């Protein structure tokens, strides 16, 4: 996965370069949509996160806010990548539409959403 997370002054920076990477990172089952961010940094459930997202061909970085709803620790079994899943804020609905447009046909339109 060529998703590149960086931490700078408490702000995550995430570059998603391909549609495949976006599909792997997007969490459509989370209310408001969510993103998995690979990071070795420890976070707590419910913690607020601010991120600058470079999304494929978008010329500008997109500011994204969210709440940690998923944690995969460094020592996770099965060789899973450590990181966090964030639930996007309601203010990021335009971003969710943009992501789902990029992934059109890749997502199950009849999916159910869950608030975590």
């Amino acid at each position: 996965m060529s998703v590149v997370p960086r931490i700078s002054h408490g702000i995550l920076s995430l570059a998603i370069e391909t549609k495949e990477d976006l599909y792997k990172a997007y969490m459509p089952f989370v209310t408001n949509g969510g993103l998995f961010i690979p990071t070795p940094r420890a976070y707590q459930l419910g913690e607020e996160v601010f991120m600058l997202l470079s999304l494929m061909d978008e010329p500008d970085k997109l500011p994204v806010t969210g709440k940690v709803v998923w944690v995969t620790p460094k020592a996770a079994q099965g060789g899973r990548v450590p990181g966090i899943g964030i639930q996007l804020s309601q203010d990021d609905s335009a971003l969710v539409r943009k992501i789902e447009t990029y992934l059109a046909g890749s997502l199950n339109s009849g999916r159910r959403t869950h608030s975590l």
Side-chain angles (χ1 to χ4, degrees), residues 18-91:
T18 68
K19 185 175 176 178
E20 180 181 346
D21 290 339
L22 181 59
Y23 181 78
K24 289 177 184 176
Y26 185 56
M27 300 169 58
F29 53 87
V30 174
T31 300
N32 302 333
L35 290 169
F36 179 77
I37 305 165
T39 179
R41 184 174 175 194
Y43 286 86
Q44 300 295 317
L45 292 176
E47 189 172 341
E48 293 291 321
V49 175
F50 181 75
M51 170 179 59
L52 292 175
L53 176 65
S54 295
L55 186 58
M56 298 175 10
D57 296 330
E58 296 291 321
D60 299 320
K61 290 184 179 182
L62 307 169
V64 178
T65 58
K67 176 175 70 173
V68 176
V69 294
W70 179 297
V71 176
T72 303
K74 289 182 196 178
Q77 295 180 5
R80 289 183 267 165
V81 174
I84 58 172
I86 64 164
Q87 178 180 27
L88 301 174
S89 73
Q90 290 180 340
D91 294 340

